[in-house]
Amino acid sequence: GTLTFQQTASNFYSGLGAGSFIFDPKCYYDRVHQGVVVIFAERGTNPQVSKILLAVSDDNNPAGVWHKYRIEARMTISGTNYWLDYPGLGYNKDAVVVSGNMFSFGSGFAGVQYIVVPTAPLLSGGAATARYIFDEDGSSVQISEVLDPNLDRVYAASRGGNSSLDIY
């Protein structure tokens, strides 16, 4: 309950070119790498922008050094652009995983996008490279925290259809 770090989100992510509408923060303490991970979603309509703002602390002190990234989240399907909402956040020893519901900038829902970012470069401030997976049948996915440094998988829970629970 003790405040250890405070800054406005726009100041924290300044220098990345983020717009004024950043929302849905998530945070966890990565017990495998002993650091803090924070994300915000970013959305803009003119131009159509959807990004994930990702920050990784270089150690267990959130008042210290952070490595910050602005990662593409906009998706285009059949000429229609979609933005990421309601992000999920998890990790394992190898990657940070972000999920999100993909909504059209007009109207409509496409499914869930997963953004997988290898952890190793993030820990030292190296370049972030993302891989993208799309699931048109999922929604409102939440990603697990995999604490075992020997496991090479990440689990996710999704609402499938109107009444099922899907585990990936």
Side-chain angles (χ1 to χ4, degrees):
T2 303
L3 182 64
T4 58
F5 178 81
Q6 183 175 25
Q7 193 172 91
T8 67
S10 58
N11 282 342
F12 182 69
Y13 287 108
S14 68
L16 294 181
S20 62
F21 185 50
I22 58 177
F23 59 98
D24 285 352
K26 302 280 191 217
C27 175
Y28 65 74
Y29 181 74
D30 178 343
R31 289 176 263 186
V32 174
H33 300 102
Q34 307 297 305
V36 181
V37 177
V38 176
I39 65 164
F40 275 78
E42 174 190 354
R43 179 176 184 252
T45 55
N46 191 15
Q48 293 179 343
V49 172
S50 180
K51 306 279 187 182
I52 290 296
L53 304 176
L54 169 67
V56 178
S57 68
D58 72 338
D59 60 21
N60 65 2
N61 179 7
V65 175
W66 288 89
H67 305 297
K68 301 170 189 171
Y69 304 90
R70 187 173 181 230
I71 299 169
E72 186 62 56
R74 189 180 77 182
M75 223 174 70
T76 303
I77 302 171
S78 301
T80 300
N81 292 329
Y82 292 83
W83 61 279
L84 188 141
D85 190 23
Y86 190 63
L89 175 64
Y91 68 95
N92 71 359
K93 66 182 178 70
D94 299 316
V96 172
V97 181
V98 178
S99 64
N101 293 332
M102 300 306 293
F103 291 99
S104 165
F105 282 90
S107 64
F109 176 73
V112 171
Q113 177 172 228
Y114 298 87
I115 302 171
V116 181
V117 183
T119 306
L122 304 179
L123 299 173
S124 62
T129 56
R131 287 178 281 171
Y132 300 87
I133 301 166
F134 177 65
D135 177 8
E136 65 186 22
D137 296 322
S139 67
S140 302
V141 172
Q142 294 301 302
I143 310 294
S144 66
E145 295 178 51
V146 179
L147 305 178
D148 186 335
N150 299 308
L151 277 179
D152 63 353
R153 63 199 72 204
V154 175
Y155 296 97
S158 174
R159 186 189 73 169
N162 289 325
S163 61
S164 70
L165 167 67
D166 297 340
I167 302 293
Y168 297 88

